[in-house]
Each structure stands twice: as C-alpha cells, then as structure tokens.
Amino acid sequence: MISVDSIAVEFSGDTLFSDVSFVINENDKIALMGKNGAGKSTMMKIIAGEQKATRGHIRFPKDAVIAYLPQHLLTEDNCTVFQEASKAFAQIFEMKNEMDELNKALETRTDYESDAYMKLIQKVSDLGEKYYALEEINYEAEVEKALVGLGFKREDFHRQTSEFSGGWRMRIELTKILLQKPDLILLDEPTNHVDIASVIWLEDFLLNKAKAVVVISHDKTFIDNITNRTIEVTMGRIYDYKANYSHYLQLREDRRSHQIKAYQEQQRFIADNQTFIDRFKGTYSKTNQVTSRERMLEKLQIIEIDEIDTSALKLKFPPSIRSGDYPVTATDLTKTYGEQVVFKNANMSISRGEKVCFVGRNGEGKSTMIKAIMGKIDFEGKCALGHNVKVGYFAQNQASLLDHDLTVFQTVDEVAQGDVRTQMKNILGQFMFSGDTIDKKVGVLSGGEKTRLAMVKLLLEPVNLLILDEPTNHLDLKSKDVLKEALLSFDGTLILVSHDRDFLQGLAEKVFEFKEKRVIEHFETIDAYLVRNRIENLKEIDLK
C-alpha cells in the first residue's frame, strides 16, 4: 500500500493543489485525469520521487519498487537493444555475482574459527536465502517476449540503441519497467509512440501481470480497458471514483449537477439574509439579529462549482473542390532501401470521398507509403494522384515545419479564409491557445503546442485529400474530439495513420494493413478490423 498524505504544491505563491491525500492499493489500476495544467504529471513525478512537494509526504513500504515512465526519455547509446532491456534484471545479476565472489572467498579462507569468517558465512547465508527465494525465471526468454510484444523484431535485438528513434527508445525503457515487475507502475502517456498491436499487448500485460498501475493517457479506449479507478485532479483538489473513465464521466456530471443545485440554494440563502440585513440595518430592535447574520455570512464557505470546458465549437472544413473519381491509385508499387524491402507489389485504389486508414506495426511502411503518394521518395511501379486533387498533409514532424518567427495568431490567420476568420480566437481556444498565448512566437512554444498549432493550420486549409500521419499524439481528449468531428463531416477523401483506437473508431470504412512486406486491403470498417485484430494478436502472443 502506497499512501499520498496531504500533498501540496505551490509555485511563486500560486497553488497547483493542496492537502491532497489518497491511497494506492495493490492491484489498483488508476487513471489520473484532469485538464491540461491541473497537475497530473506533477503529481506522478512526486509519487515517483522525481519532484518534491511543497508540503506532505509519500509513504510506502521499505522494499516497495516504484517504476516511472515519463513522457520523454532517452536510453543510453552504449549497448544493444537486448542488453539495455536486460538491465531490468541488473540487481538480480549483481546479487548472483556477489554470491559467486563470496563463495570463492570461502573456498580460499582457512581461518574457520575467526569472527571475520563467521560474518562471511552469515552474509552468504542471508544473500543466498534472498536469492533462492526469487522465482525461477528464464531471463532471456522474458526479455525476448517483452521486446517482441512491444513491436521489436528479433533482428533488432542486437542493433545499437542509438539507431532507434525516441519513440522506440521509449519502448525499450517500457520493456525494462515491465520486466522489473514493480509494486507500482507510473505511466505518463505510454501509448503516444506505440502502434495498435503493441498497445493491445501492453493492455493485457498491465491487466494480467502488473500489480498497481497509475496512468495518464489521452487514449480513451486504453484507459477504459485497463483501469478500475479514476482520480480527477481539478481546482487544486482531487475526486476519487471507483470507476473506469467512461463511468467516471457520468459520475462527474452527476457531481457537478449536485454542486450547481447546492450553489443555487446557497445563493438564495445569502440573498435572503442580505435582504434582511439591508432592510433592518439601523433598526435598534433588530441590531442583534442583523449583526448575527452579518457574521454568519462572513464565515460562510462559498460552494465552488468545478471548472469544466463549456465551449461548443463545431469546427467544419470548407467545402471540398470536386476531385477525380480516384484521388489515389497505386499499381505494383515496391519500395526498397538497399537490400531491405519495405513493401512489394502493393496495389491501392482509393475512391473520391472514401475514408481509409493505414494500420500495422511501426516500421512496416505506412509512412513510407504516404511519402510515395506525396511524391517525396523514389519507388518502383506506379503511384499517382487523381485529377484536381489538392492535398492537406500532416506529417509526424509537422510541428517543426512552422515559421518560428510568426505568432500563434499570425500562423493561423495567414491560412484562414471566409467566415471562419470571425471564429479565429474560438478555434485557437479549442486547441488550448487563449489569452496572451495567441501572441507568443511559435519558436518559444513547446513541442505539444506546436503540434496543436500545426493541426489548427491544417484544419483551415481548403483541401479535398487529407493525409494525416499520427495526428493525435499531443492532443488531449477534447481536442481529439473536435478533430474527429471535423473529419467525420469532411466531404473529401481521408487517409489516416493512427494508433489511437478510440479516435479511429467510426472514422474509416476501409483498412489497408501493412504486414510482412505486403499491403493488404480489407473491405471492412476499422471497428470490425480492430475486433478481429485483437483476437489474432492474443493468439499470436503468449502472455501467460
């Protein structure tokens, strides 16, 4: 059991949260929720020991193991993927080496009656008891199973970690955390860099093998599937629900309705008493009553209604210019890098107005196919855009392509056309740009803010073919909902690459699966594909 006792955090006189207390029990699966800036990541860092609270304590058993995966992390570059993942068992390996050294020392000692020899015997006995009490584990097999589950191929095991992107290094660190079998796993946005198959594997691991888990995530399906408890951080305090995210939303709405009713009743009570005070103030016979009511109102604690995003903007794309019947066609398309084949003899035909998605493990060629469609790489075979196609493209590095010398408002203002110009500030507000933020230069924004701004800019451009490559990685649930609604009403053609199942559901009517150097066309909705894909993955991966 891990206890958070009266935690408070203050910055320059401002209180992030105060006197927050809760207990994390064994096998709790907790979603830590709240709007951006509420203090979720700060709370997680305090529990992990990465940051100190202004007041309060975190209490846990002496031998408890707490593992923390932050949003951004880089592994070292001096070893292979397999060696780095094996560091999860470093403490056990060190224990074994120490036992071997102690046993060798015993073999060479002859002072059998000395105190030093008896202490050595005791040390060997204590260490051996601890070591042999450990569950017998085939460490190499466990490392291999975890790496494969999180998307690595066996030929990747002996590659240097320096050859991998930040997202893949994050998976290596996640592998180490999972293999340690800690008492508490803290995960801050763990699915941002993980494909659908790996998210499915991670869900089953957390449900079937992990002990306590606390997770921050904007992936609604992921947190719904793994959590049984939701802690909301809001207005400096917390609300604790024994419910998953979807049920929590219902309970939060009930809570807020009760707050509004209690607030309205209190306001009527205050108004009635204030009317009495105003009427009889100065009346000698009512002096005591007036004074009593004034003191009562001074001491009254005003009921607060929890903050909530009440904006109701429905962002819509401008009507699309009509394109040809087939905006994208590919025939016998092959892409290789040297001897490495990404995909071979791929055929693709996307009709005007279709919404399709590309799915598959990372590294199977989804982004490469997009680059081929955009004409950004060389390839064998044929790939062409149809008549009168105007492309809107959101790349994974789209944020880095923004002009850093423009302000947030100028960036969006230069692409906005028509009636939407009158809604500029509302649109920016939907993506968490408000107040002084809209006058900031793009160059000083965080990576997440740049991604959101790039998305706003794209949403305002009049196009008839949208190609989105992992657009939701840095968007919160509200912003993702706004984007999804806009895509559902988009009357052009959509190609979407995403690992976010909740975002995908209901969007795509056809699926192109990238698998084993092939591109397989599935004439089914993404919802049907995901159901079938989950079953297939559970058959392929041994989780027991």
Side-chain angles (χ1 to χ4, degrees):
M1 186 176 74
I2 296 168
S3 177
V4 177
D5 294 335
S6 301
I7 292 295
V9 173
E10 297 169 354
F11 297 108
S12 304
D14 294 329
T15 300
L16 186 59
F17 42 76
S18 60
D19 297 323
V20 170
S21 299
F22 59 92
V23 171
I24 303 171
N25 301 300
E26 186 178 5
N27 297 320
D28 270 349
K29 304 295 189 295
I30 301 171
L32 197 57
M33 304 304 296
K35 63 182 289 187
N36 281 31
K40 303 185 299 294
S41 292
T42 300
M43 176 68 74
M44 187 169 279
K45 288 175 183 176
I46 291 171
I47 297 172
E50 298 283 326
Q51 184 173 326
K52 289 189 177 296
T54 307
R55 295 185 302 279
H57 303 280
I58 306 295
R59 307 184 189 279
F60 50 86
K62 185 178 180 181
D63 58 348
V65 177
I66 298 177
Y68 169 54
L69 181 75
Q71 285 193 51
H72 306 287
L73 187 73
L74 293 178
T75 55
E76 296 179 7
D77 290 334
N78 58 358
C79 59
T80 67
V81 170
F82 197 89
Q83 289 169 338
E84 183 68 31
S86 297
K87 290 180 181 179
F89 302 111
Q91 189 174 1
I92 296 172
F93 296 152
E94 289 170 6
M95 194 185 303
K96 177 66 167 58
N97 291 336
E98 186 179 358
M99 281 183 55
D100 291 342
E101 290 176 5
L102 290 173
N103 283 321
K104 285 181 181 178
L106 285 176
E107 291 174 3
T108 59
R109 298 278 291 257
T110 57
D111 54 334
Y112 306 120
E113 303 298 328
S114 69
D115 290 342
Y117 189 86
M118 297 307 295
K119 287 181 180 179
L120 191 59
I121 288 286
Q122 187 62 46
K123 189 172 183 180
V124 170
S125 175
D126 293 343
L127 191 60
E129 183 178 352
K130 188 175 180 181
Y131 178 79
Y132 291 114
L134 294 172
E135 179 184 355
E136 187 173 341
I137 297 174
N138 183 338
Y139 301 110
E140 291 190 355
E142 290 295 309
V143 171
E144 179 178 347
K145 187 189 301 182
L147 286 172
V148 170
L150 284 172
F152 289 93
K153 299 176 182 177
R154 286 176 174 80
E155 52 263 37
D156 294 330
F157 291 179
H158 302 294
R159 292 172 57 190
Q160 294 293 309
T161 58
S162 57
E163 298 177 27
F164 291 85
S165 67
W168 284 97
R169 297 186 194 198
M170 185 78 77
R171 295 189 196 205
I172 297 172
E173 194 63 26
L174 182 57
T175 300
K176 288 159 59 179
I177 287 175
L178 299 182
L179 288 170
Q180 289 174 35
K181 298 182 179 178
D183 299 282
L184 172 62
I185 298 176
L186 303 169
L187 303 174
D188 195 347
E189 295 291 359
T191 66
N192 270 2
H193 303 281
V194 183
D195 56 43
I196 290 173
S198 298
V199 172
I200 290 170
W201 182 90
L202 177 60
E203 284 179 3
D204 283 283
F205 187 101
L206 295 175
L207 284 171
N208 298 322
K209 287 196 172 184
K211 296 179 183 176
V213 177
V214 177
V215 61
I216 298 170
S217 178
H218 291 143
D219 186 331
K220 179 182 174 181
T221 304
F222 175 71
I223 54 177
D224 259 352
N225 286 346
I226 70 163
T227 61
N228 53 26
R229 181 177 167 193
T230 302
I231 294 179
E232 179 189 8
V233 183
T234 180
M235 297 179 68
R237 56 181 180 266
I238 67 163
Y239 292 94
D240 195 343
Y241 297 90
K242 301 295 188 291
N244 69 2
Y245 178 73
S246 292
H247 190 200
Y248 141 76
L249 290 178
Q250 300 171 11
L251 296 174
R252 184 183 68 173
E253 186 59 34
D254 292 342
R255 181 190 83 214
R256 196 166 185 277
S257 297
H258 289 308
Q259 286 178 341
I260 292 172
K261 183 178 180 181
Y263 174 80
Q264 291 172 341
E265 289 177 354
Q266 187 184 62
Q267 289 299 305
R268 284 194 292 269
F269 174 79
I270 292 172
D272 290 345
N273 280 278
Q274 191 62 51
T275 298
F276 181 91
I277 292 168
D278 293 341
R279 180 179 178 183
F280 294 108
K281 197 165 189 177
T283 302
Y284 180 77
S285 62
K286 302 287 186 179
T287 299
N288 289 340
Q289 293 180 54
V290 168
T291 301
S292 175
R293 295 194 184 203
E294 285 178 331
R295 289 175 179 171
M296 177 188 65
L297 292 182
E298 287 173 1
K299 295 178 181 180
L300 191 65
Q301 187 171 355
I302 302 299
I303 294 170
E304 292 183 315
I305 301 173
D306 292 332
E307 58 188 352
I308 189 168
D309 186 357
T310 57
S311 55
L313 176 69
K314 297 295 183 183
L315 183 61
K316 291 185 178 180
F317 291 94
S320 296
I321 300 170
R322 185 179 177 88
S323 70
D325 290 341
Y326 296 96
V328 178
T329 55
T331 306
D332 295 331
L333 190 64
T334 297
K335 179 59 186 174
T336 60
Y337 291 101
E339 296 182 357
Q340 180 187 356
V341 177
V342 182
F343 46 73
K344 189 173 183 178
N345 296 329
N347 293 291
M348 182 179 298
S349 178
I350 301 175
S351 302
R352 181 180 62 246
E354 270 193 323
K355 292 179 172 63
V356 307
C357 65
F358 293 173
V359 300
R361 289 183 179 272
N362 285 8
E364 292 285 353
K366 302 186 299 295
S367 294
T368 303
M369 177 62 78
I370 287 175
K371 290 175 183 175
I373 293 171
M374 296 291 296
K376 294 181 177 293
I377 58 173
D378 296 326
F379 50 80
E380 298 175 35
K382 295 181 180 180
C383 185
L385 294 176
H387 172 68
N388 204 31
V389 170
K390 183 172 177 55
V391 180
Y393 175 43
F394 185 91
Q396 290 191 39
N397 66 335
Q398 193 69 34
S400 65
L401 305 179
L402 296 172
D403 187 338
H404 286 197
D405 293 326
L406 295 179
T407 66
V408 169
F409 188 85
Q410 289 169 340
T411 299
V412 179
D413 188 52
E414 69 176 9
V415 297
Q417 297 182 12
D419 293 341
V420 76
R421 294 179 65 85
T422 63
Q423 301 183 55
M424 294 292 296
K425 291 187 177 180
N426 286 336
I427 293 168
L428 287 169
Q430 282 288 302
F431 283 80
M432 293 173 283
F433 295 107
S434 59
D436 295 338
T437 308
I438 67 173
D439 296 319
K440 283 185 176 180
K441 290 287 184 71
V442 171
V444 303
L445 299 179
S446 69
E449 288 172 326
K450 290 176 184 175
T451 298
R452 296 198 304 272
L453 182 59
M455 182 57 62
V456 176
K457 184 178 178 182
L458 175 64
L459 290 174
L460 296 175
E461 294 176 346
V463 300
N464 53 23
L465 172 60
L466 266 179
I467 303 177
L468 307 181
D469 192 356
E470 299 291 2
T472 64
N473 276 356
H474 295 284
L475 298 181
D476 67 1
L477 288 167
K478 178 63 179 175
S479 299
K480 286 197 294 186
D481 286 344
V482 171
L483 174 59
K484 185 171 181 177
E485 287 298 318
L487 293 176
L488 285 169
S489 63
F490 177 54
D491 60 0
T493 306
L494 173 67
I495 299 175
L496 180 62
V497 179
S498 177
H499 62 266
D500 188 326
R501 291 160 298 168
D502 181 65
F503 183 74
L504 285 172
Q505 286 174 341
L507 263 180
E509 55 209 14
K510 188 162 68 174
V511 178
F512 289 95
E513 181 180 19
F514 289 69
K515 184 177 182 181
E516 298 172 351
K517 302 177 175 42
R518 299 164 58 217
V519 179
I520 307 164
E521 187 173 12
H522 296 282
F523 293 92
E524 62 183 351
T525 65
I526 183 62
D527 306 66
Y529 171 83
L530 290 174
V531 170
R532 182 169 55 79
N533 188 61
R534 184 176 184 88
I535 295 171
E536 288 178 357
N537 272 276
L538 292 182
K539 288 179 179 178
E540 291 170 6
I541 302 170
D542 177 18
L543 298 170
K544 303 301 181 182

